[in-house]
Amino acid sequence: MTAHYTHRQILKIMTGLLMALLTSMISTSVVSTALPTIVGDLGGQDQLAWVASAALLTMTASTPLWGKLSDLFGRKLMFQTALIVFVAGSIAAGLSQNIGWLIAARAVQGLGTGGLSALTQVILGDIVEPRERGRYSGFVGAVFGVSTVAGPLLGGFIVDTSWLGWRWCFYVCVPLAIIASIVIQRVLKLPRRGVATGEEQARRESSVDWFGAFTITGAAATVMLLLSLAGKEFAWDSPWTYGLAGLSLVLLALAVVAERTAAEPILPPRLFGDRTFALTALASLFVGVSLFGVLIFLPQYLQIVKGMRPTASGLMTLPLVLGLFVASTLSGRFVTKTGRWKIFPALGMLCVAIGLALLTRLHVGSGKFVIGLDIAVVGVGLGLSMQILILAAQNASAHRDLAATTSGVSFFRNLGGAVGVAAFGAILTSRLSSGMADRLRAAHLQVKGGGSGLGSPEAVQHLPGPVKDIVIASFTDAMHMVFLVGVPVAVAGFLAVLALKELPLRSAPVERFPAETPTGPETSVTMK
């Protein structure tokens, strides 16, 4: 089978891609164990979900735009641009002086991460045909697993080290990104459409679907605003609630119009007519809800309820990551060997549902073995699902839609994460506030602010005995509700996977663009 790249060349390209992806993914997970300390220091416990969601929102909204821009201006240029944006956001986050500044900087970080995560998959689709892609998709899953392990551990170590402080959770990504950029410049040789004339370049620039980007971003943002602020800043039954809900529907309708009329739509409407794309996008949305729900809120349970230090809570994520790593790697190899893929995301979503159900049984006295076993089940489920769903969508798409398909599926997974974090945050805050108020009233205790502002986990551990017990009991009940809501979400993902038709993975070369390189004896040889 003739291809433009040998296995050795693909591995060189993947090295550069995965280094940059590792850097951006660490920036997401490194914050998870540090978030309780960060919001306790800057203030704004009630805005914790926004610190996480700001990056998820911009990552989500920008993902399809990066894919389209890479079609117009080249994969490598856009990948390097995304890396620069990510570094700028990381530095700004480390310099934050208040919670609003941090949220804005995290939003910039998310823009860069959206490009890096989407374009890694797009570039992989450019250089490897679907049948062989499983073995390399396993590497992407492995990087996600390593970053998820290294991030919480690194974040916990930084927070626990007095001469560093939480700001280094963001600064630490900068040298990693610089190393990645050097590697990328040296080894990343990607397909391109050719050199555009001035007239062609102007046409390309004018065809960017900016209105679609604005309406898609706006629709997602208003939904998150509604979920984050309703019940705290204003009542659910209020004009603000109805106004934001109405605005999100209007922006969604305008996004549909924009994508139907744009010359180069970010999400071409024809994609949604393809059953495989529609169902993999839907299943990926549910995967995102489950993934980020566990990653963001599990450290809260471990630090506030179990009283663990950030480093210890990071270590407790190891079972989840090991499960994800092993499942992703083994399933990728099996798919490459057999060409069969549907069984893995189906089993994966079942495992996620079972794992979330098990997490609802955790309490103050739960042992580390039980906690580790429960989250390992979730990790296995995520590892079986995430990369295989993208592979299935790519396999069913024409090459002209490869970037849009890949970034589209990633968009819906990230959208699920962004909306899921906001929704789970709203559930947690509402349940926590009402539970604490009821318990304080029953105990005839009065706490300033009704106990709604928890402060840092360390501050919770130093509360007077009766108040501390009430806080921990209320937080445990609130976490149970968060994970309980996640169970039907995972079941819905399982049903979406069942509805997929298992198309055989193609082993013929896909249509390719002329390459910038490679040159030399390895060009256009048989890939084994």
Side-chain angles (χ1 to χ4, degrees):
M1 178 174 59
T2 302
H4 280 260
Y5 299 93
T6 65
H7 177 61
R8 180 182 174 185
Q9 290 172 326
I10 293 171
L11 287 179
K12 287 182 179 179
I13 294 173
M14 290 296 293
T15 299
L17 295 176
L18 296 181
M19 283 194 68
L21 184 62
L22 176 66
T23 304
S24 64
M25 289 294 101
I26 282 181
S27 77
T28 300
S29 58
V30 75
V31 179
S32 61
T33 48
L35 267 180
T37 301
I38 293 173
V39 297
D41 184 21
L42 294 179
Q45 172 72 32
D46 57 334
Q47 298 182 62
L48 178 145
W50 268 105
V51 177
S53 297
L56 290 175
L57 171 62
T58 52
M59 179 175 67
T60 299
S62 67
T63 296
L65 183 59
W66 284 109
K68 177 54 64 179
L69 290 175
S70 74
D71 276 343
L72 301 177
F73 305 112
R75 313 286 198 228
K76 183 174 182 177
L77 175 61
M78 288 298 100
F79 196 88
Q80 291 173 318
T81 302
L83 193 55
I84 292 171
V85 171
F86 168 76
V87 170
S90 299
I91 294 174
L95 296 173
S96 299
Q97 300 301 309
N98 54 62
I99 199 72
W101 183 337
L102 177 60
I103 291 172
R106 290 282 291 163
V108 176
Q109 264 193 317
L111 284 174
T113 302
L116 296 174
S117 61
L119 294 179
T120 296
Q121 297 284 357
V122 173
I123 292 167
L124 179 60
D126 270 335
I127 63 177
V128 184
E129 55 270 12
R131 181 62 183 265
E132 290 292 322
R133 208 171 293 158
R135 64 195 293 196
Y136 301 104
S137 295
F139 295 155
V140 177
V143 164
F144 185 87
V146 170
S147 66
T148 312
V149 166
L153 290 175
L154 185 60
F157 171 77
I158 290 172
V159 171
D160 284 341
T161 304
S162 58
W163 54 272
L164 286 175
W166 60 261
R167 296 181 187 278
W168 276 94
C169 290
F170 304 105
Y171 294 147
V172 73
C173 299
V174 176
L176 294 176
I178 292 173
I179 295 173
S181 67
I182 294 172
V183 174
I184 288 168
Q185 184 60 35
R186 292 176 61 88
V187 306
L188 202 58
K189 309 297 182 182
L190 302 178
R192 65 179 184 181
R193 292 180 182 271
V195 179
T197 65
E199 181 180 347
E200 289 172 336
Q201 188 68 15
R203 179 184 57 78
R204 289 181 179 182
E205 292 177 1
S206 65
S207 66
V208 177
D209 183 18
W210 297 114
F211 184 59
F214 169 76
T215 52
I216 291 170
T217 304
T222 50
V223 170
M224 286 186 57
L225 280 170
L226 175 60
L227 293 172
S228 299
L229 302 180
K232 296 192 293 289
E233 301 298 328
F234 49 82
W236 282 99
D237 184 12
S238 70
W240 277 105
T241 299
Y242 302 131
L244 285 173
L247 180 59
S248 64
L249 292 175
V250 169
L251 288 170
L252 179 61
L254 289 175
V256 173
V257 173
E259 299 309 274
R260 286 184 174 276
T261 57
E264 294 282 350
I266 292 175
L267 291 174
R270 63 178 176 271
L271 293 182
F272 295 92
D274 178 74
R275 177 177 177 177
T276 300
F277 175 82
L279 289 173
T280 52
L282 184 63
S284 295
L285 184 142
F286 296 133
V287 167
V289 173
S290 305
L291 168 65
F292 289 101
V294 173
L295 286 182
I296 297 300
F297 293 100
L298 183 63
Q300 292 278 293
Y301 163 79
L302 295 174
Q303 293 181 43
I304 292 177
V305 176
K306 299 298 294 181
M308 292 184 180
R309 299 289 299 171
T311 302
S313 69
L315 285 170
M316 282 303 301
T317 64
L318 280 173
L320 182 146
V321 176
L322 290 175
L324 189 152
F325 172 81
V326 172
S328 176
T329 303
L330 294 183
S331 62
R333 290 183 176 276
F334 187 87
V335 167
T336 296
K337 182 177 181 180
T338 66
R340 305 299 297 271
W341 54 265
K342 182 176 176 178
I343 185 64
F344 295 110
L347 288 176
M349 295 311 297
L350 276 182
C351 286
V352 172
I354 293 170
L356 289 171
L358 291 173
L359 289 176
T360 65
R361 300 171 61 87
L362 297 181
H363 50 82
V364 178
S366 295
K368 293 180 180 179
F369 176 80
V370 173
I371 298 172
L373 181 62
D374 292 352
I375 61 178
V377 174
V378 177
V380 168
L382 294 172
L384 292 174
S385 306
M386 291 170 53
Q387 300 304 320
I388 303 298
L389 288 172
I390 291 180
L391 172 61
Q394 289 179 332
N395 179 64
S397 73
H399 190 273
R400 64 170 181 158
D401 291 328
L402 179 64
T405 297
T406 306
S407 57
V409 173
S410 299
F411 166 78
F412 283 100
R413 184 179 67 198
N414 295 338
L415 179 64
V419 174
V421 168
F424 287 162
I427 293 169
L428 178 69
T429 301
S430 175
R431 186 83 173 191
L432 177 61
S433 297
S434 61
M436 288 182 62
D438 291 342
R439 286 182 170 88
L440 289 170
R441 190 164 43 248
H444 305 290
L445 294 173
Q446 290 186 347
V447 179
K448 184 179 180 180
S452 57
L454 292 181
S456 67
E458 185 177 358
V460 171
Q461 300 306 316
H462 288 87
L463 290 172
V467 176
K468 175 183 173 182
D469 292 341
I470 288 174
V471 169
I472 290 178
S474 300
F475 198 92
T476 302
D477 288 346
M479 289 299 299
H480 287 170
M481 181 56 65
V482 167
F483 293 130
L484 184 62
V485 171
V487 174
V489 171
V491 172
F494 169 73
L495 296 176
V497 172
L498 285 186
L500 280 167
K501 182 179 179 181
E502 186 172 26
L503 301 176
L505 293 180
R506 291 174 293 160
S507 50
V510 296
E511 173 194 352
R512 302 179 189 276
F513 301 127
E516 296 173 354
T517 44
T519 58
E522 293 182 328
T523 305
S524 298
V525 298
T526 301
M527 180 167 59
K528 299 180 181 180

